[in-house]
Amino acid sequence: MKQINWKKEIDAYAMLIIGSLLFAVGDIMFSNPYHLAPGGTWGLSNVLNAIAPWKVSLYAVCMDIPLLVIGTLILGPKFGFKTILSTILIFAFSYVIEMSWGYHPVIHQGIYDTHNLVNLPDGLNNLLVKVEYEADGIQSFYFLPDYFMNTMVTGLIYGVAIGLVFKSGATSGGSDIISMILHKFTKISLGTLVMIVDGIITFTTMFISNEKSIDAITANLKLPLYSFIVVFIEGILIDVVVDGFSKPKTVFIITDKVDDIREYIIKNLGRGATSFVGKGMFEGAERHMIYVSLQRGELVKLKAAIHAVDPTAFVNILDSTEILGNGFKPLVEE
């Protein structure tokens, strides 16, 4: 029987809980008041909440649960306990925040109700964002937004949140399940389908305004634009949380001084390497090629050593998304 690594499991569930909490904070307190929809069922829930006020958490859970059931029926039980737990936790945290905090933005330049709108200058009045919510009937308030600052912070929160959920071993579920189902039947790459599905959700923010004028539609182009910026920042932060700041490098070296460079890699860097023999296309001469994977700091030392030993060497350096095995991340973690 496989022995359970309790420390690793506790860390994973701690990351899952913190990530789910941060996701709920990012959506209810930052994304929703600004009517942003950075993809996923929660992004679509923000749009539905702006069009027909109802709790965002209830909109989301009404989509997430059927998607998990349908996905399990079509794709099999791929999602696992942690994904289901994450779905429940995000719903629970969001519901609590909705009941206690409401939909008031954290970042703003002033909050106004209908009574003090008459005293505002016309130019300022046109910049206000209206937030409607259900509480003993439909209630509303207005706030003066700071789109740039809120977008930056929202992207950071989402990125850290989803990164922690991914690192815990869970998946995001939601609209990703739609993409996985479409992938099964269309054979379009999963990454492309995720971009298409989330892109469609992001563009639905254009229909939030009740106004039908050309000016209103043009003005609402800012909502999908800011939502895309959130997705961009989020994507960068997810990679940082999951993989860290240091991207490993893969290096191919073609040199006549293979023994000297081999000795430096093994003795000075403590790394292993693989040597190949190839044939040059121009002269047909045999050349030695070394393949080695390194961290960024080690690469700087290796380039200096290669320059000192063989300034005519040909060096090709590639960014590696992930390296598993001895000297890097253990394969068993996957």
Side-chain angles (χ1 to χ4, degrees):
M1 183 178 294
K2 184 178 178 181
Q3 187 175 4
I4 297 175
N5 186 333
W6 288 107
K7 182 181 183 304
K8 181 180 174 182
E9 285 298 306
I10 291 171
D11 289 345
Y13 280 100
M15 286 188 288
L16 181 62
I17 294 169
I18 295 171
S20 299
L21 175 59
L22 283 175
F23 186 95
V25 169
D27 190 80
I28 304 300
M29 299 172 66
F30 291 87
S31 182
N32 176 269
Y34 279 76
H35 304 318
L36 300 179
T41 53
W42 285 86
L44 185 56
S45 297
N46 288 339
V47 175
L48 294 173
N49 169 262
I51 296 172
W54 195 38
K55 285 186 173 55
V56 176
S57 58
L58 297 180
Y59 273 125
V61 79
C62 285
M63 289 184 278
D64 282 340
I65 291 178
L67 283 173
L68 283 170
V69 173
I70 294 169
T72 301
L73 292 175
I74 296 176
L75 303 171
K78 287 186 174 183
F79 310 111
F81 174 72
K82 287 180 181 176
T83 294
I84 297 172
L85 178 60
S86 176
T87 301
I88 295 170
L89 286 173
I90 292 173
F91 163 73
F93 286 137
S94 298
Y95 188 85
V96 170
I97 295 172
E98 287 172 309
M99 296 300 293
S100 57
W101 177 269
Y103 299 104
H104 291 80
V106 175
I107 298 173
H108 60 83
Q109 301 180 62
I111 295 181
Y112 309 91
D113 57 32
T114 53
H115 301 293
N116 53 23
L117 287 180
V118 292
N119 300 322
L120 292 174
D122 289 337
L124 187 61
N125 203 346
N126 294 333
L127 297 175
L128 297 180
V129 174
K130 183 180 182 180
V131 177
E132 290 186 319
Y133 59 97
E134 185 184 28
D136 298 325
I138 303 301
Q139 306 293 327
S140 64
F141 65 89
Y142 298 79
F143 71 92
L144 186 62
D146 185 342
Y147 278 103
F148 179 78
M149 180 61 69
N150 186 77
T151 299
M152 298 297 107
V153 175
T154 303
L156 291 173
I157 294 174
Y158 269 135
V160 173
I162 298 174
L164 288 173
V165 171
F166 284 173
K167 197 165 185 178
S168 73
T171 62
S172 57
S175 63
D176 288 353
I177 298 174
I178 299 175
S179 302
M180 293 165 73
I181 294 172
L182 292 174
H183 172 67
K184 180 175 180 178
F185 294 106
T186 65
K187 302 306 177 184
I188 300 173
S189 73
L190 187 58
T192 300
L193 287 169
V194 169
M195 291 174 61
I196 292 172
V197 172
D198 284 348
I200 292 171
I201 292 172
T202 297
F203 272 113
T204 60
T205 56
M206 293 183 62
F207 304 105
I208 288 177
S209 175
N210 293 322
E211 301 179 47
K212 303 301 179 185
S213 66
I214 296 296
D215 289 341
I217 294 174
T218 302
N220 270 3
L221 284 172
K222 68 176 177 288
L223 295 179
L225 176 61
Y226 281 118
S227 296
F228 275 121
I229 294 173
V230 170
V231 173
F232 178 75
I233 298 171
E234 168 191 323
I236 295 174
L237 263 293
I238 289 173
D239 288 342
V240 170
V241 172
V242 174
D243 297 322
F245 284 98
S246 178
K247 273 189 174 293
K249 305 289 184 179
T250 295
V251 186
F252 293 92
I253 309 161
I254 299 176
T255 177
D256 292 326
K257 305 289 186 180
V258 64
D259 290 333
D260 293 333
I261 295 175
R262 168 188 172 277
E263 186 176 0
Y264 182 85
I265 292 172
I266 294 173
K267 291 186 176 179
N268 293 74
L269 299 181
R271 292 288 183 185
T274 302
S275 176
F276 302 93
V277 177
K279 182 177 288 188
M281 295 294 290
F282 281 104
E283 299 177 357
E286 287 191 347
R287 302 292 302 274
H288 289 276
M289 180 169 65
I290 299 172
Y291 161 80
V292 61
S293 294
L294 304 164
Q295 297 292 357
R296 184 178 297 172
E298 296 169 326
L299 175 62
V300 175
K301 299 176 183 177
L302 178 60
K303 287 196 294 184
I306 294 172
H307 181 267
V309 172
D310 184 7
T312 63
F314 181 86
V315 181
N316 185 17
I317 301 169
L318 306 175
D319 280 328
S320 298
T321 302
E322 190 172 28
I323 299 177
L324 306 175
N326 187 29
F328 294 90
K329 292 170 62 177
L331 186 62
V332 292
E333 286 190 357
E334 301 300 307

